[in-house]
Amino acid sequence: MNVRVLRIELRRSVAPWAGAVVLTSALAFLYLIPGEWWQGATAWTAQWTSLAMWTRSLQFYLWPMAVGLGALQGLRDHRSKMSELLTSTPRPAWHRATMLAGTTAITLVSAFALLVLVGAVQVFANTEYTHLGWLPISLVAALFLVAGAMLGMGAGRALPYALTPPLLTMGALAFTALMHMSLGRTETAPNSMGITSTEPNQLSLLSPETEIRDVLETLSASVHAGQTIWLLGMAATGFALLVAATLRARMIALTPVVAGAVIALLVLPTDPRRMYVVDEAAAELVCDGPVCVTEMYEGHLADLAGPGKEALRLLRGALGSQAPVSVRENTTVLPEGSTPQWSRETVLFDFDDDIIAAAKGKQLTRALVAEAMVPGCTPVGWSGFGGDEYAQTVAVGWVFGDLSMLPGTPANMRREVDAESRPVWKELKALPRAEQLSRINAMRAAALSCEGDAFDVLKGGAPR
């Protein structure tokens, strides 16, 4: 395709509008609608993988939009009543189809690349950790747009009716919704609280949408490979439908998308733990003595090392032989809804934790002591406020000798936290030292195993 032909196609097709709609709607979604994409370590401009995953997650509506706009493009010859004229010319049908599909593909890929570029500029300013592991995620996302548009163009050419574009758009949107909410989800066993949740299954990987759960989590190579096969089959079917002139040829044109889906399901992993995996390079530990962070957050180590060592010293003085001996960023990624797993020997923390994220300077010491004493048993991916936070406040007050609010305590909860924790702290301080230590150890045992209510144990109740 030369430049002159490209300019002509751009003038007489909906391709430029498709690119403009994809870019402007995505930026409007990310900038005008408040959501998780602006919060914490997984914000879309915080890290490279988060950027790729969030822009990929927008495919839940960008892909159906691309399918619908492609179908509108496929109706062009029928609307202009040129179908018979074009078929009578000596120019091959595949040549015309290549120009039509190529123009749309170029504009959609360019629009998505600009979206990623807007985020990349901000990621450069927010992190020192750079890598190329995020590129396959974005490349597959761009391929979803191209394959969807080509499938839409082929369907629009095969079914040249005014209702084809909106029906295809709604069908694609329903497909992504079903894959995300029901067909692509499998119910898991009840967690420690007796509550069941769901996790993605193999079918969900045929959908363009992704989940963003942890900054260290990415898609596996087998997911990229399987999705690429599926999308190439989809694009091949769309192109074949564009050039097919008979009903028989159109039926044969469906073969690539069906074969692509079958082969993709053979390649795509069935185990959720092999779908979303930990980025091993990003999760490699960098240490300063007993204090370790991941390669991704190496720039934070200098600020964390001093408070981390001081926290270990205070814990050793308070707990004796039961005290942890190291501080380490938590690199274990668990399924949503599962019970957290903690260590007695190591203080595990997450930069996205409310206490750690809000702590600055010397407050980091109190925050790390809180994580060591009561790390929290709220199921992964859930939120809550209650007994664990009260127990943290009392336990840190016991170590430091004074009761004060922990970093990250919501302003509207401070009075409640003080009302719940202060009487327990006073009661604990009034006990003999041996009894204090006994309650604290029992509390830690319940908190670390997540098999009891740490605050009830701290008040003198028996572990449940």
Side-chain angles (χ1 to χ4, degrees):
M1 184 188 298
N2 58 43
V3 176
R4 178 173 171 273
V5 174
L6 177 62
R7 285 202 301 263
I8 293 172
E9 281 296 323
L10 287 174
R11 285 200 303 268
R12 58 195 292 263
S13 72
V14 300
W17 294 103
V21 168
V22 165
L23 178 60
T24 55
S25 65
L27 289 174
F29 187 97
L30 290 170
Y31 280 104
L32 301 181
I33 301 176
E36 295 180 359
W37 44 91
W38 275 113
Q39 300 172 5
T42 56
W44 80 288
T45 57
Q47 297 289 342
W48 291 104
T49 301
S50 299
L51 166 66
M53 294 289 275
W54 275 119
T55 50
R56 166 72 186 272
S57 72
L58 295 181
Q59 297 290 330
F60 84 90
Y61 81 90
L62 291 180
W63 181 71
M65 189 185 299
V67 173
L69 289 169
L72 187 62
Q73 178 82 308
L75 293 178
R76 185 182 66 181
D77 293 345
H78 178 77
R79 290 199 315 268
S80 58
K81 303 184 182 345
M82 293 178 58
S83 300
E84 292 184 7
L85 175 62
L86 291 173
T87 55
S88 66
T89 62
R91 191 179 185 185
W94 68 265
H95 194 194
R96 295 194 304 272
T98 299
M99 290 191 298
L100 184 66
T103 304
T104 303
I106 290 172
T107 55
L108 287 174
V109 170
S110 299
F112 190 76
L114 284 173
L115 171 65
V116 174
L117 181 61
V118 170
V121 172
Q122 298 171 81
V123 173
F124 265 121
N126 291 333
T127 182
E128 298 176 2
Y129 178 70
T130 58
H131 62 105
L132 297 178
W134 61 276
L135 270 178
I137 303 172
S138 293
L139 291 175
V140 172
L143 185 56
F144 258 108
L145 289 176
V146 173
M150 291 186 66
L151 182 65
M153 281 187 280
R157 179 67 63 83
L159 301 170
Y161 307 112
L163 289 177
T164 298
L167 288 178
L168 280 177
T169 302
M170 294 305 297
L173 190 61
F175 173 79
T176 58
L178 286 173
M179 290 298 104
H180 183 67
M181 294 187 297
S182 56
L183 295 180
R185 310 290 299 185
T186 302
E187 192 172 89
T188 62
N191 60 17
S192 60
M193 301 172 63
I195 300 174
T196 59
S197 58
T198 62
E199 58 188 15
N201 61 33
Q202 193 180 31
L203 284 177
S204 70
L205 299 176
L206 297 179
S207 166
E209 192 171 4
T210 56
E211 297 181 3
I212 300 92
R213 297 177 292 189
D214 191 276
V215 70
L216 294 173
E217 201 170 51
T218 187
L219 293 169
S220 66
S222 56
V223 171
H224 298 318
Q227 290 180 337
T228 300
I229 293 170
W230 156 240
L231 293 174
L232 290 177
M234 186 188 300
T237 287
F239 188 82
L241 287 173
L242 268 178
V243 301
T246 64
L247 178 61
R248 182 172 180 272
R250 288 167 183 163
M251 296 302 294
I252 295 174
L254 299 177
T255 303
V257 71
V258 175
V262 172
I263 297 173
L265 289 174
L266 295 175
V267 174
L268 292 169
T270 56
D271 186 349
R273 290 170 295 183
R274 292 178 54 234
M275 299 175 189
Y276 294 87
V277 297
V278 174
D279 185 338
E280 298 295 340
E284 186 176 347
L285 293 177
V286 180
C287 301
D288 182 343
V291 181
C292 301
V293 298
T294 61
E295 185 75 28
M296 180 177 289
Y297 286 111
E298 183 180 5
H300 292 66
L301 182 58
D303 296 330
L304 191 74
K309 294 172 184 176
E310 176 64 12
L312 291 176
R313 186 188 68 79
L314 291 170
L315 288 166
R316 187 165 54 251
L319 300 174
S321 61
Q322 298 295 315
V325 295
S326 62
V327 174
R328 177 169 61 83
E329 184 182 349
N330 194 1
T331 58
T332 303
V333 178
L334 299 173
E336 185 172 351
S338 60
T339 303
Q341 298 176 4
W342 306 115
S343 168
R344 184 179 292 275
E345 292 79 22
T346 302
V347 181
L348 297 174
F349 72 93
D350 191 326
F351 282 108
D352 218 13
D353 186 278
D354 290 341
I355 297 177
I356 300 295
K360 304 295 180 184
K362 293 183 179 180
Q363 286 186 324
L364 266 174
T365 303
R366 297 185 76 96
L368 291 171
V369 169
E371 296 290 348
M373 301 295 278
V374 186
C377 290
T378 302
V380 176
W382 297 16
S383 59
F385 197 94
D388 283 345
E389 286 71 26
Y390 306 150
Q392 277 182 333
T393 303
V394 174
V396 173
W398 178 78
V399 172
F400 280 85
D402 66 301
L403 190 73
S404 61
M405 291 299 102
L406 292 174
T409 303
N412 62 337
M413 298 298 297
R414 288 175 175 269
R415 181 174 297 179
E416 179 179 331
V417 172
D418 187 74
E420 291 285 343
S421 59
R422 189 166 295 278
V424 178
W425 180 71
K426 288 181 177 179
E427 179 186 345
L428 181 67
K429 294 292 288 183
L431 296 172
R433 176 67 184 181
E435 179 62 21
Q436 292 181 31
L437 189 58
S438 175
R439 285 201 188 184
I440 289 292
N441 286 333
M443 176 210 69
R444 284 195 73 221
L448 293 171
S449 65
C450 292
E451 294 180 353
D453 189 311
F455 193 51
D456 282 348
V457 173
L458 195 57
K459 290 189 289 186
R464 290 181 289 151

